[in-house]
Amino acid sequence: MGRHREFDVDKALDAALCVFWRKGYEGASYADLTEATGVERPALYSAFGNKEELFSRALDRYYERHLNYVPDALQKSTSKEVAAHMLYSAIDLNTRYEGHTGCLNLNGLLAGSDAAESVRQRLIDVRADGEAQFRERFERAKAEGDLPASAKPDALAAYLMAVLHGMAVQAKAGFSRGTLEAVAEQALSTWPASDAAISARSSQS
Amino acid sequence: MGRHREFDVDKALDAALCVFWRKGYEGASYADLTEATGVERPALYSAFGNKEELFSRALDRYYERHLNYVPDALQKSTSKEVAAHMLYSAIDLNTRYEGHTGCLNLNGLLAGSDAAESVRQRLIDVRADGEAQFRERFERAKAEGDLPASAKPDALAAYLMAVLHGMAVQAKAGFSRGTLEAVAEQALSTWPASDAAISARSSQS
DNA sequence: GCGGTTTAATAACGGTCGTTATGAAAAGCA
DNA sequence: TGCTTTTCATAACGACCGTTATTAAACCGC
């Protein structure tokens, strides 16, 4: 007996998941959660427990619903296929939703409240500056023949930064799907050799 | 005229830098900053302005003092040397200080307050679980001959996750220097081929 | 319809956040 | 020594944080 619950627990959890995905754990306030879920705070507490438990539930659901390609990847017949499946699935996940890019797991360690938006933007800008330096450096290397003509300096710069910072961080910073795909290709291949080295190698065989 | 400043502005900024490095922007409170710097709040405000300006000053100093290997890397003669210099310098920076691992830039997007420590640990654990799955999968691939006997499954798993999450995130999660170095090696090479493919290639030449 | 039980919404709790008013202490100049 | 100026430490500010008492409303079995 007793009064019936008036909201859909699963839908509320999905809405909370999106909030955590976008703002991280600390960055997501109950004001955000009540607005996104349409459920008042005490109802969230009675349904999910405290904030940490709610986040834990959202994290579990994230792995069940959005990271469900991991088992598929693990079942591929070769390790390289496993890696490729993971990389391209992650790109898809990280860029599918415009509102919450990146990975919930990492964004929980990444994002802050709205009050820190300008700071985050500043960090993103500084990061982009660093990448631009490498892109320019690789453009120069390409002009000097250090890199083959087929080399994509922006993709190389993105790859190097991806190894430094991670693809999920790049997705959070608003990178395009195409850029992430280029990073994945580089991650699965080797660093390009110069045209001179290539011609030397082909003349050797 | 007027009273003289009783604390060293540079030392206070260095102390604040370490706090931001470890806890991120939002995660670093003025209670933390006053404790680390030994300077009371009003003095920090008069010397640096508000929190955002103090962080901006710390970020500038971080780039000047700790990321000063970037220009050196950019001056290397080949792009691969540039990448290698960056990768190994970053490993050194990310693991040099036990108190503030990783990268200040990323940790500003990563860390939260102490109250969220258990949540962060939870995320770290989940991340480690994901990596363990790939390590196990690569161990199986090694046993099946999909990977050569010289392959290091834990290094391969770390590499794949590094492409997904980034080296700085791994450093923040407490990874060893050796693991990061292995990731850098992988990032500079290609994915290992199976022993069968290697013998086929060598018999071809 | 009534009692017992569960949920709903309002409002408030103590605590901490970043920030600042306030008055005492120290320094240079007259 | 006084006067002015700057810095110092104490303490408080309003706002928001996560959390919860409190009270009204909705449901079930009788």
Side-chain angles (χ1 to χ4, degrees):
Chain A
M1 49 177 111
R3 183 171 173 176
H4 296 331
R5 187 162 271 145
E6 291 183 359
F7 65 94
D8 188 326
V9 175
D10 278 347
K11 285 186 179 178
L13 185 54
D14 281 330
L17 165 58
C18 289
V19 174
F20 283 128
W21 199 337
R22 192 167 83 177
K23 303 199 173 190
Y25 175 67
E26 286 190 324
S29 69
Y30 269 94
D32 299 324
L33 294 168
T34 55
E35 183 185 358
T37 60
V39 178
E40 295 299 328
R41 275 172 264 203
L44 289 176
Y45 275 90
S46 85
F48 301 105
N50 66 9
K51 192 185 182 186
E52 183 166 347
E53 294 176 41
L54 172 56
F55 182 78
S56 180
R57 290 279 302 273
L59 183 62
D60 290 340
R61 170 163 288 233
Y62 176 71
Y63 271 76
E64 291 169 14
R65 300 286 178 90
H66 297 96
L67 250 54
N68 52 1
Y69 56 79
V70 175
D72 297 342
L74 290 170
Q75 286 178 0
K76 292 292 179 184
S77 54
T78 70
S79 60
K80 188 164 185 175
E81 283 180 275
V82 171
H85 190 92
M86 281 299 299
L87 286 169
Y88 288 102
S89 298
I91 290 173
D92 186 53
L93 179 64
N94 289 343
T95 61
R96 188 184 306 152
Y97 310 102
E98 197 169 340
H100 42 277
T101 51
C103 169
L104 167 66
N105 195 327
L106 293 181
N107 290 351
L109 304 172
L110 275 175
S113 69
D114 289 338
E117 180 56 37
S118 62
V119 171
R120 284 201 300 278
Q121 194 55 54
R122 169 90 200 283
L123 293 168
I124 288 172
D125 291 346
V126 170
R127 204 209 67 82
D129 289 348
E131 177 168 349
Q133 284 187 289
F134 286 102
R135 176 171 48 73
E136 289 169 8
R137 177 62 183 83
F138 294 153
E139 282 168 354
R140 178 159 77 83
K142 186 175 177 179
E144 292 173 354
D146 170 43
L147 282 172
S150 62
K152 290 181 282 183
D154 54 345
L156 286 176
Y159 169 76
L160 179 57
M161 298 301 277
V163 176
L164 294 172
H165 299 160
M167 272 200 325
V169 177
Q170 290 178 324
K172 183 71 180 178
F175 271 57
S176 71
R177 183 191 194 87
T179 303
L180 290 178
E181 286 174 351
V183 169
E185 290 175 19
Q186 292 291 335
L188 291 170
S189 68
T190 189
W191 195 269
S194 69
D195 284 326
I198 289 175
S199 60
R201 204 181 305 147
S202 61
S203 67
Q204 213 174 8
S205 68
Chain B
M1 49 177 111
R3 184 172 173 178
H4 296 330
R5 187 162 271 145
E6 291 183 359
F7 66 93
D8 188 325
V9 175
D10 278 347
K11 285 186 178 178
L13 185 54
D14 281 330
L17 166 58
C18 289
V19 174
F20 283 129
W21 199 338
R22 191 168 85 178
K23 302 199 172 189
Y25 174 68
E26 285 191 324
S29 69
Y30 268 94
D32 299 323
L33 293 169
T34 55
E35 183 185 357
T37 59
V39 177
E40 295 300 327
R41 275 172 265 205
L44 289 176
Y45 275 90
S46 88
F48 302 105
N50 66 8
K51 192 185 181 187
E52 183 166 347
E53 294 175 41
L54 173 56
F55 182 78
S56 180
R57 291 279 302 273
L59 183 63
D60 289 340
R61 171 164 287 234
Y62 176 71
Y63 271 77
E64 291 169 14
R65 300 285 177 92
H66 297 95
L67 251 53
N68 52 1
Y69 56 79
V70 175
D72 298 341
L74 290 170
Q75 287 177 359
K76 293 291 179 184
S77 54
T78 71
S79 58
K80 190 164 184 176
E81 284 179 275
V82 172
H85 190 91
M86 281 298 299
L87 286 168
Y88 288 101
S89 298
I91 290 174
D92 186 52
L93 179 64
N94 289 343
T95 60
R96 188 184 306 151
Y97 309 101
E98 197 169 338
H100 41 277
T101 50
C103 169
L104 168 65
N105 195 329
L106 293 180
N107 289 352
L109 303 171
L110 275 175
S113 70
D114 288 339
E117 180 56 37
S118 63
V119 171
R120 284 200 300 278
Q121 194 55 55
R122 170 90 200 283
L123 293 168
I124 289 172
D125 292 344
V126 170
R127 204 209 67 82
D129 289 347
E131 178 167 349
Q133 284 188 290
F134 286 102
R135 176 171 48 74
E136 289 169 8
R137 177 62 184 84
F138 295 154
E139 282 169 354
R140 180 159 76 83
K142 186 176 177 179
E144 292 172 354
D146 170 43
L147 283 172
S150 62
K152 290 181 283 183
D154 55 345
L156 286 176
Y159 169 76
L160 178 58
M161 297 300 278
V163 177
L164 294 171
H165 299 160
M167 272 199 327
V169 176
Q170 290 179 325
K172 183 70 179 179
F175 271 57
S176 70
R177 182 190 195 87
T179 304
L180 290 178
E181 286 174 351
V183 168
E185 291 175 19
Q186 291 291 335
L188 290 171
S189 68
T190 189
W191 196 268
S194 70
D195 283 326
I198 288 174
S199 59
R201 204 182 305 147
S202 61
S203 66
Q204 212 174 9
S205 68

